[in-house]
């Protein structure tokens, strides 16, 4: 595992994603879009692999849901209970 992919980086990234979604609850995007737009300030320091791990972890814990778009890309968005 690369240093930037350690558990603390993934956890910090997940917290940033949840913070973004508190301000933008209707947002939905791909891993690349989340890294570029939702995590704009962190993007230079966070790889797409870390963002993907954070997003998939949030899906597994029920905070987000994912769906495959017609073009085959996976979109992530807030899960409303």
């Amino acid at each position: 595992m690369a240093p930037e992919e350690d558990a603390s980086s993934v956890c910090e990234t997940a917290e940033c994603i949840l913070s973004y979604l508190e301000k933008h609850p209707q947002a939905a995007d791909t891993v690349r879009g989340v890294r570029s737009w939702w995590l704009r300030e962190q993007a230079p320091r966070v790889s797409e692999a870390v963002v993907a791990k954070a997003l998939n972890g949030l899906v597994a814990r029920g905070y987000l849901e994912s769906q495959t778009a017609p073009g085959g890309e996976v979109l992530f968005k807030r899960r409303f209970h």
Side-chain angles (χ1 to χ4, degrees), residues 7-50:
S8 65
S9 293
V10 173
C11 186
E12 180 182 328
T13 300
E15 289 174 13
C16 291
I17 290 167
L18 291 175
S19 177
Y20 181 89
L21 287 171
E22 285 180 21
K23 298 172 189 152
H24 309 278
Q26 300 301 321
D29 217 328
T30 63
V31 171
R32 180 173 290 162
V34 169
R35 182 176 177 269
S36 296
W37 296 104
W38 301 10
L39 304 173
R40 190 176 309 182
E41 293 178 19
Q42 294 87 356
R45 301 184 314 271
V46 179
S47 69
E48 282 189 25
V50 168

